[in-house]
């Protein structure tokens, strides 16, 4: 069976190799901080395997995470001059190789698709080939590895250091944004155990007047939207808002259709995901990956759509659920 | 009520543009203390949070091959390719991408598209290529806007496509939560059906905004070419 943890080790290992390159890159004025940051992430990826199975304490990893945050937060990380090709060389490469260049790039989605659809059901000797529940992650990982092999052969590139260098300079360009989604997931968990959710639920019930169906619908949808903005994740908002308003008031008191109320309520939360920097993996990481100067660029592009769709969800709930 | 101060830390931190990693770290520590966690528990929470959320960072595994192909001119070739389809403007291309992304997510293919896999290496150079074919080199502000919209097409397509698929996390979360908390039995199929109206709206609203992007680009570029000098792309 191919396990998800193997791919976490591969990711961790490639971060470690890239960190070693960063330490020796004299073109980077902050090479030690940069190397330490990515080295810690890489080591953390591997150590996490034992944290997940409770065989190792989580506190040292937590300490390492805070060190990473301090390294990146106080500007101890930087980037070197990427060793890459000139625009002329790229244009020549495109002219020479043509659309063959798309083959490895499209291999990633193609393998991901095969894993999600086909290999999901394949098993050897009673054990599934891909770890259950991790098929999509494994598909992406396998796709990347297969694509790299195809790319190296096709481009007749014999030095493995070349793709590692290329990946490394993209990592350096993204910097702290890479770690933010994982930090935010942690914050969500801390909010949960500290009772932030129950407090927000109480607030929502407090502003809710009795016996007004339309106000209750708006409170549920807008509550999902705002709570998602705070938590960065509709999944964290859903249980709280549903326990406070969705189920007791909309389904219980007003006798709404539960499937419609809950499905549309969740989508109102998704409108919040579109506009919050707390959903860093969707909003901040792409900005870094696309080398935008304005890290809120994607959020600004999504804001009007999110507003209109929130309104749509309120209307749909009122129309279809009651 | 006092634990809500942690939320306030986040809001103030983001509003004053402090480094987000520090903001989140401080907010976590503050909330943990206010919620009565010991320092050891807080550290453990950070560790467990990191360990359990590694899946969001796994896309980094695609960076070496994407970077390798970019060295050999992948983005240039994506530009060349789009040049052959004269009718495919930036707005139309991004609307097409939005539709494909949404359909893909609706049949459960969430990881087939993504910012690292498809937006950076393919969608952005194609969208830029289509704009450059018409307007020549793009000023930096326009380039930023166009890239932001490419990222938004990916997100909107994913969010409002995936809930139409039965086995996706959010649908399973709803059924799991409601069926155990309230002892009812909700069918994933019914939930997925009620996601369809919003999915259609999302395509219409965002698709319309993407199509309008063509006219906006035209207007932006008229003023830009008249005024400020053109800044070449960095890559």
């Amino acid at each position: 069976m191919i396990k998800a943890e193997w791919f976490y080790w591969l990711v961790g290992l490639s971060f470690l190799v890239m960190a070693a390159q960063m330490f020796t890159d004299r073109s980077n004025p902050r090479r030690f901080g940069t190397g330490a940051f990515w080295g810690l992430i890489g080591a953390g990826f591997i150590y996490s395997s034992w944290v997940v199975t409770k065989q190792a304490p989580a506190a040292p990893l937590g300490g390492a995470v805070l060190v990473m945050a301090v390294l990146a937060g106080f500007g101890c990380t930087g980037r070197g001059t990427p060793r890459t090709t000139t625009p002329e060389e790229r244009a020549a490469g495109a002219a020479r190789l043509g659309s063959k260049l798309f083959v490895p790039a499209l291999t990633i989605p193609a393998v991901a698709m095969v894993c999600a659809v086909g290999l999901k059901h394949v098993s050897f000797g009673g054990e599934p080939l891909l770890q259950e529940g991790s098929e999509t992650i494994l598909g992406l990982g396998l796709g990347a590895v297969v694509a790299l092999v195809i790319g190296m052969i096709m481009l007749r590139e014999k030095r493995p250091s070349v793709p590692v260098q290329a990946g490394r300079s993209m990592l350096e360009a993204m910097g702290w944004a890479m770690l933010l989604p994982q930090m935010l997931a942690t914050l969500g968990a801390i909010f949960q155990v500290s009772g932030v959710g129950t407090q927000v639920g109480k607030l929502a019930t407090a502003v809710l007047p009795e016996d007004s169906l339309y106000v209750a619908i708006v409170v549920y949808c807008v509550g999902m939207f705002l709570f998602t903005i705070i938590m960065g994740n509709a999944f964290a908002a859903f249980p709280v808002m549903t326990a406070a308003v969705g189920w007791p008031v909309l389904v219980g008191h007003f006798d709404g259709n539960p499937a419609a109320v809950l499905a549309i309520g969740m989508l109102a939360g998704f409108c919040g995901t579109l506009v919050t920097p707390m959903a860093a993996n969707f909003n901040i990481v792409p900005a870094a990956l696309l080398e935008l100067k304005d890290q809120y660029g994607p959020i600004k592009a999504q804001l009007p759509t999110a507003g209109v769709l929130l309104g749509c969800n309120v209307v749909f709930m009122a129309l279809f659920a009651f | 009520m006092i634990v809500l101060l942690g939320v306030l830390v986040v809001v103030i931190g983001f509003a004053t543009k402090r480094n987000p990693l520090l903001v989140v770290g401080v907010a976590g520590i503050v909330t943990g203390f206010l919620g009565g966690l010991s320092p050891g528990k807080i550290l453990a929470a950070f560790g467990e949070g990191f360990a359990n959320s590694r899946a969001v960072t796994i896309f980094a595994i695609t960076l070496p091959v994407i970077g390798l192909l970019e060295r050999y001119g992948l983005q240039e070739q994506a530009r060349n390719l789009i040049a052959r389809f004269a009718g495919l403007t930036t707005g139309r291309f991004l609307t097409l991408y939005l539709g494909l992304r949404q359909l893909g997510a609706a049949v459960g293919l969430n990881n087939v598209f993504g910012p690292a896999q498809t937006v950076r290496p393919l969608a952005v150079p194609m969208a830029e290529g289509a704009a450059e074919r018409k307007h020549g080199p793009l000023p930096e502000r326009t380039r930023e806007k166009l890239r932001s919209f490419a990222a938004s097409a990916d997100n909107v397509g994913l969010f409002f496509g995936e809930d139409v698929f039965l086995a996706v996390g959010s649908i399973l979360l709803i059924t799991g939560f409601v069926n155990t908390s309230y002892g009812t039995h909700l069918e994933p199929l019914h939930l997925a059906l009620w996601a369809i109206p919003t999915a259609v709206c999302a395509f219409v609203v965002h698709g319309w905004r993407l199509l309008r992007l063509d006219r906006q680009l035209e207007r932006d570029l008229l003023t830009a070419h008249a005024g400020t000098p053109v800044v070449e792309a960095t890559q």
Side-chain angles (χ1 to χ4, degrees), chain A residues 182 282 290 293 301 305 313, chain B residues 57 140 144 147 198 206 209:
Chain A
Q182 286 187 256
F282 295 115
L290 300 178
K293 293 237 161 50
T305 303
N313 282 321
Chain B
T57 311
E140 176 156 318
E144 287 247 327
R147 290 182 177 190
T198 310
H206 206 62
R209 293 190 58 223

Side-chain angles (χ1 to χ4, degrees), chain A residues 142-158:
Chain A
L142 279 172
V145 172
V146 174
L148 184 59
V149 172
I150 294 179
M152 299 277 286
I153 294 171
M154 201 186 82
L155 300 170
R156 300 206 181 87
E157 181 61 75
K158 290 192 186 66

Side-chain angles (χ1 to χ4, degrees), chain B residues 12 42 89 92 118-119 157 168 184 187 189 225:
Chain B
I12 293 174
I42 295 177
T89 60
R92 286 180 198 162
T118 48
V119 179
V168 81
T184 55
E187 281 293 331
L189 181 65
H225 284 312

Side-chain angles (χ1 to χ4, degrees), chain A:
Chain A
M1 180 167 86
I2 301 177
K3 292 195 172 110
E5 289 297 333
W6 296 356
F7 272 97
Y8 291 134
W9 294 344
L10 185 65
V11 176
L13 204 64
S14 39
F15 283 161
L16 284 172
V17 173
M18 289 175 189
Q21 284 188 347
M22 290 169 189
F23 271 122
T24 57
D25 180 0
R26 287 179 191 285
S27 71
N28 182 351
R30 301 196 183 87
R31 59 195 170 112
F32 294 112
T34 317
F37 179 77
W38 291 103
L40 277 174
I41 295 189
F45 252 74
I46 299 169
Y47 182 79
S48 291
S49 295
W50 287 275
V51 172
V52 171
T53 56
K54 310 246 177 260
Q55 287 166 301
L61 181 61
V65 170
L66 291 182
V67 172
M68 295 173 211
V70 166
L71 278 174
F74 288 108
C76 304
T77 57
R79 58 187 299 196
T81 321
R83 269 176 262 170
T84 185
T85 46
T86 61
E88 291 74 33
E89 285 173 309
R90 292 181 181 212
R96 179 165 57 90
L97 295 154
S99 287
K100 261 167 68 181
L101 277 168
F102 294 129
V103 174
L106 295 174
T107 301
I108 302 175
V111 172
M113 188 148 75
V114 168
C115 288
V117 180
L119 293 184
K120 195 177 173 178
H121 307 289
V122 176
S123 52
F124 276 113
E127 280 217 29
L129 177 64
L130 304 176
Q131 186 179 339
E132 234 174 293
S134 301
E135 294 90 354
T136 52
I137 291 173
L138 286 173
L140 186 65
L142 279 172
V145 172
V146 174
L148 184 59
V149 172
I150 294 179
M152 299 277 286
I153 294 171
M154 201 186 82
L155 300 170
R156 300 206 181 87
E157 181 61 75
K158 290 192 186 66
R159 296 160 297 173
S161 65
V162 172
V164 177
Q165 290 278 8
R168 169 177 75 100
S169 70
M170 282 165 89
L171 276 191
E172 285 178 353
M174 296 176 67
W176 55 263
M178 281 288 288
L179 184 63
L180 189 57
Q182 286 187 256
M183 283 288 279
L184 285 165
T186 309
L187 183 63
I190 293 179
F191 276 178
Q192 208 79 310
V193 293
S194 310
V196 170
T198 24
Q199 293 298 340
V200 174
K202 275 188 197 156
L203 276 180
T205 347
V207 299
L208 190 71
E210 280 178 30
D211 286 331
S212 169
L213 170 62
Y214 294 109
V215 175
I217 292 174
V218 171
V219 169
Y220 185 49
C221 289
V222 175
M224 276 297 295
F225 178 77
L226 291 177
F227 199 5
T228 303
I229 291 178
I230 293 172
M231 302 294 276
N233 187 343
F235 291 12
F238 180 79
V240 175
M241 288 309 297
T242 301
V245 182
W247 193 268
V249 180
L250 291 175
V251 176
H253 184 69
F254 289 109
D255 203 26
N257 170 357
V261 168
L262 302 176
I264 297 172
M266 181 64 100
L267 291 168
F270 284 5
C271 297
T273 318
L274 286 177
V275 297
T276 176
M278 296 289 285
N281 51 327
F282 295 115
N283 295 330
I284 307 291
V285 168
L289 198 56
L290 300 178
E291 297 170 31
L292 297 183
K293 293 237 161 50
D294 180 8
Q295 58 173 357
Y296 295 141
I299 291 181
K300 286 175 187 163
Q302 285 156 194
L303 191 63
T305 303
V308 174
L309 290 179
L310 177 63
C312 288
N313 282 321
V314 171
V315 172
F316 287 155
M317 196 182 287
L319 281 180
F320 298 143
F322 297 95

